Amino acid sequence: MRPIRAVTAAVTALAFLLCNGTPSVRAADETVLGRVRGNVGYRAPDAPAVTYITGTQQLNDQYFAITGQSSAGVLTLPDSSVVGLGANTNVQVEAFRRAETGDGTTLTIPDTGGTLRFQIRHPAGAHSNYTFKTPVATISVRGTVGLLTHATNGDTVACLDCPPGDVDVTVNASGRVYPLVTGQTLVISIAGIVAVGAITAAVLQGFSGAGLSTSAAAASPVAGSAAGAAAGASAGAAT
């Protein structure tokens, strides 16, 4: 017969797991939202109320990450890809998928708009595939650093470090696909009119004004943050 003390210890350990959820190591397989400054929070897809955070928070699939005025946050994805959230941003994060064709997910910016800096990684032995959706366009991204904003006048995509073949922008109105490389900017109006050109100081100012880093070599996606990826720290599960 197993000693009573050993049985008691096993029951205690099981009770701890049942009360506290899965062990903290599971955080490595979650999308985590981190607050850098200001008002940063999340909400469920069927709930209007925003829950604000002071540190980090794991996000359930389909949840929205939200920042307020003069605020900034960071999304750390399961493959260590990082998305900086500028001020006044609302983005929905769909389920992260792991498949033979690679890791990836879809992030959707609704009509309310938002400004992002994305740094998508190529994990060893896998191929990252991310899709950013706005009411105007669909942006497919693989292993690159770039900037994206959706506003009332349309979209702007700027490639800070985009090897050939890693960024394709599909315009919803026409279905036409525009490949982008390092140093290029693509602007799409609400009507679907497209202009492609070089990144300018004015374009970068728009993103830095939202609180995002605009250098391809920046350590953090959020300007003024030495460790914007603090979202990778421990976090409680969103409920």
Side-chain angles (χ1 to χ4, degrees):
M1 178 180 292
R2 181 180 296 180
I4 293 177
R5 185 173 298 173
V7 173
T8 301
V11 171
T12 300
L14 177 61
F16 177 84
L17 289 176
L18 292 176
C19 292
N20 294 277
T22 52
S24 59
V25 294
R26 190 170 182 270
D29 202 33
E30 297 287 348
T31 296
V32 180
L33 172 65
R35 174 186 176 274
V36 176
R37 58 176 169 268
N39 296 320
V40 177
Y42 64 92
R43 70 171 179 85
D46 55 352
V50 178
T51 300
Y52 291 99
I53 64 175
T54 57
T56 59
Q57 176 71 38
Q58 289 182 13
L59 292 189
N60 289 341
D61 297 340
Q62 310 299 327
Y63 270 46
F64 289 86
I66 298 166
T67 62
Q69 186 175 2
S70 301
S71 303
V74 175
L75 284 170
T76 302
L77 298 152
D79 66 349
S80 297
S81 292
V82 178
V83 178
L85 308 178
N88 298 315
T89 290
N90 186 3
V91 60
Q92 186 177 31
V93 185
E94 296 186 10
F96 185 85
R97 66 179 184 275
R98 296 187 183 278
E100 292 182 2
T101 55
D103 297 340
T105 192
T106 298
L107 293 89
T108 301
I109 304 176
D111 286 330
T112 50
T115 304
L116 312 175
R117 173 197 159 101
F118 49 86
Q119 183 169 337
I120 306 304
R121 303 185 186 280
H122 281 296
H127 189 66
S128 294
N129 294 283
Y130 285 81
T131 302
F132 295 88
K133 291 184 177 181
T134 79
V136 175
T138 300
I139 300 96
S140 299
V141 177
R142 296 169 290 276
T144 189
V145 181
L147 303 163
L148 165 65
T149 187
H150 172 71
T152 55
N153 59 342
D155 291 0
T156 299
V157 184
C159 273
L160 301 179
D161 184 5
C162 306
D166 275 7
V167 177
D168 290 316
V169 181
T170 302
V171 179
N172 295 344
S174 65
R176 184 173 176 180
V177 179
Y178 293 83
L180 293 181
V181 295
T182 302
Q184 286 187 319
T185 296
L186 184 141
V187 178
I188 311 168
S189 73
I190 290 295
I193 300 172
V194 177
V196 180
I199 293 178
T200 64
V203 167
L204 295 180
Q205 177 59 42
F207 290 97
S208 61
L212 298 177
S213 301
T214 58
S215 167
S220 167
V222 176
S225 171
S234 61
T239 57

